[in-house]
Amino acid sequence: MASRVRATGSNLILASLLATLSYLPFQLVAQFTLIVCVLLFVVDPFPTSRLVSVAGVAVVLAITKARQHFLILEANQEELQQQQQQSVNAAHDDKSD
């Protein structure tokens, strides 16, 4: 019974940490993750933990690239919509003259 309570308690701590991280800006969470991965890579001599650290860095890198790509696409889409709106307004102004 005590081991069950302890496991639930650590799960609650992990869940609380993840919930807190979801409210922070992406860049801060990414930097925190990279710092934890570097510390784990340096401090823990086991090959498995080093593989987990490298995988964590790879995941953060992939998410960062996907986020940048999405932001660029979003900016391009907004610019295209503004250009279309301006051309519609210009055409409407020409017709009213």
Side-chain angles (χ1 to χ4, degrees):
M1 182 73 164
S3 64
R4 216 170 200 190
V5 171
R6 184 173 289 153
T8 304
S10 64
N11 288 341
L12 289 175
I13 291 171
L14 179 61
S16 299
L17 176 65
L18 292 175
T20 303
L21 290 176
S22 69
Y23 289 105
L24 296 175
F26 171 76
Q27 291 175 341
L28 186 64
V29 174
Q31 290 172 353
F32 175 74
T33 303
L34 290 175
I35 289 170
V36 169
C37 288
V38 167
L39 288 175
L40 183 62
F41 188 86
V42 171
V43 173
D44 201 0
F46 298 109
T48 307
S49 64
R50 289 187 172 187
L51 287 175
V52 169
S53 296
V54 171
V57 170
V59 167
V60 169
L61 179 64
I63 291 172
T64 302
K65 284 188 176 188
R67 182 176 180 265
Q68 288 175 346
H69 181 69
F70 174 75
L71 291 175
I72 290 170
L73 287 177
E74 188 176 35
N76 289 341
Q77 185 178 14
E78 287 177 6
E79 184 179 325
L80 182 62
Q81 286 176 351
Q82 287 176 356
Q83 289 174 353
Q84 288 174 346
Q85 185 65 30
Q86 288 174 354
S87 65
V88 166
N89 288 343
H92 182 68
D93 290 343
D94 288 343
K95 287 183 181 179
S96 64
D97 288 341

